[in-house]
Amino acid sequence: MFRSEGSDLVKGSMLAFTTEALLDFAGERSGKFRMIACEVVSHDAYGTPRDLFIAFFGVIADTLRELLGTQWTDDIDAAWQELLAEIEQFVSRQAAT
Ligand code: HEM
């Protein structure tokens, strides 16, 4: 479901943009986090369900947990859970606008 007519480059840039937006959302919120709100709307048009769009952030967290292994601490886990819940709220607010 990650591409309709693009290439691997589209998938790669989607992950890169998501990472940048995520870091900005978790940190300064200087601007790049706004991409999440823009893309949730454009992804409606791609036919990407909003639940799946949000799930993508959780997949990133799960992948990092796997990669970090024992270095993944309870604090890191709690911070990610908080972040994922905030993103979910942020995306659901877009539905009301
Ligand atoms: C499971 C979740 C997602 C799916 C299934 C998905 C799917 C897609 C699809 C089908 C396209 C069109 C590509 C093409 O025509 O080849 C696309 C483009 C794009 N996606 Fe995603 N996407 C997901 C999550 C995200 C997230 C979380 C972000 C960023 C916050 C993102 C950012 C983009 C960007 C920047 C494009 C390029 C076109 C545009 O600006 O809309 N995607 N995605």
Side-chain angles (χ1 to χ4, degrees), residues 17-91:
F17 280 129
T18 306
T19 308
E20 285 179 3
L22 198 53
L23 288 172
D24 190 47
F25 189 92
E28 291 180 1
R29 299 211 183 167
S30 63
K32 288 182 176 169
F33 79 99
R34 295 186 194 286
M35 172 162 249
I36 297 171
C38 297
E39 290 300 332
V40 79
V41 175
S42 54
H43 283 67
D44 282 346
Y46 297 143
T48 306
R50 289 192 176 194
D51 286 355
L52 182 62
F53 186 87
I54 295 167
F56 188 47
F57 297 98
V59 170
I60 293 175
D62 290 346
T63 306
L64 290 174
R65 187 190 298 117
E66 269 176 42
L67 288 171
L68 282 178
T70 55
Q71 292 178 65
W72 182 272
T73 62
D74 288 347
D75 283 352
I76 294 176
D77 195 70
W80 268 99
Q81 292 315 317
E82 198 179 313
L83 181 68
L84 294 174
E86 255 188 89
I87 290 176
E88 192 169 348
Q89 278 171 19
F90 180 69
V91 171

